[in-house]
Amino acid sequence: MAVSSTLAVTTLHHHSLNHPKLSSLSPPVKTASKLSPKKRIFDMGIGLLAASIVCLTPLTAEATRVEYYATVAEPSCELNFVKSGLGYCDVEVGSGQEVPIAELINVHYTARFSDGTVFDSSYKRGRPLTMRTGVGKLIRGLDQGILGGEGVPPMRIGGKRKLQIPSPLGYGPEPAGCFRGDCNIPGNATLVYDIKFVEIYSGNRKL
């Protein structure tokens, strides 16, 4: 689970040498012969680097779009809180099939801390996440928030929902997402998810 970044664009400027003392009356001068081998190699390297930047421009633009979707929140909506402590609201109610229990579904999501900091997003990976609800594979807040129950309606295909997940329905008092002592999610963290129910996974097999 990862955080957002800012794309920096670097522009290279190549300055040519000016020779003010040369005139049309002067004999032809082979300026290239006066350049040292190191200077010619340097100029060649700058040219190749500039060409590579031009070639990578479409990829950079695509990366920018992915970053945008990964870091810009869905429109705000008024949260409804249920007995469990989960807060939810529908930014857009889907018109497709309800989420099935114990089957794989594809969702896009962006996950934030309560201060708005992004710590994970399927958009940054460029594809939705395949998950199975209702079988204990997800944190309780996601299971209830997507599948429904205890006052929360199930999501439908095409729907977008915002969830505010308190620590007891999230990862609890212990840090999570740890690798070599570096933890992505602190203990007792309140989490905010923007969920989009994309589709039911086509290769489903019942458990």
Side-chain angles (χ1 to χ4, degrees):
M1 295 189 177
V3 294
S4 62
S5 60
T6 303
L7 181 67
V9 179
T10 303
T11 305
L12 296 176
H13 298 279
H14 182 68
H15 297 282
S16 60
L17 295 175
N18 295 319
H19 300 280
K21 295 183 179 180
L22 296 179
S23 69
S24 58
L25 299 177
S26 303
V29 179
K30 296 182 180 180
T31 56
S33 63
K34 293 184 178 182
L35 296 177
S36 68
K38 288 185 179 180
K39 174 62 176 174
R40 289 198 296 271
I41 292 173
F42 175 77
D43 288 348
M44 185 181 297
I46 290 295
L48 291 174
L49 180 58
S52 68
I53 289 176
V54 172
C55 292
L56 288 176
T57 299
L59 295 179
T60 300
E62 179 61 29
T64 304
R65 286 193 289 272
V66 171
E67 282 293 303
Y68 173 82
Y69 286 117
T71 56
V72 176
E74 292 288 350
S76 60
C77 55
E78 187 175 349
L79 292 170
N80 304 293
F81 290 90
V82 295
K83 187 177 180 180
S84 66
L86 178 71
Y88 79 94
C89 61
D90 287 313
V91 175
E92 184 177 332
V93 178
S95 58
Q97 182 180 336
E98 286 187 359
V99 57
I101 188 171
E103 289 190 23
L104 292 171
I105 62 173
N106 289 333
V107 303
H108 263 308
Y109 71 94
T110 298
R112 296 174 172 82
F113 298 123
S114 56
D115 66 357
T117 302
V118 176
F119 66 88
D120 189 24
S121 177
S122 62
Y123 292 104
K124 295 187 75 170
R125 293 187 287 275
R127 61 182 184 277
L129 176 69
T130 302
M131 60 169 63
R132 195 186 300 273
T133 60
V135 293
K137 298 294 185 181
L138 305 174
I139 58 175
R140 290 171 56 202
L142 283 178
D143 249 348
Q144 184 182 4
I146 297 172
L147 186 61
E150 299 181 30
V152 181
M155 290 190 72
R156 291 180 175 272
I157 293 175
K160 296 180 180 180
R161 179 171 289 178
K162 187 180 294 290
L163 302 174
Q164 182 173 300
I165 303 175
S167 174
L169 300 182
Y171 294 97
E174 298 298 325
C178 301
F179 180 73
R180 294 182 178 178
D182 184 18
C183 297
N184 201 22
I185 303 173
N188 296 312
T190 296
L191 310 176
V192 178
Y193 279 81
D194 287 316
I195 304 287
K196 179 180 179 180
F197 181 12
V198 178
E199 62 187 356
I200 297 173
Y201 180 65
S202 59
N204 261 300
R205 289 184 298 174
K206 288 283 187 178
L207 291 180

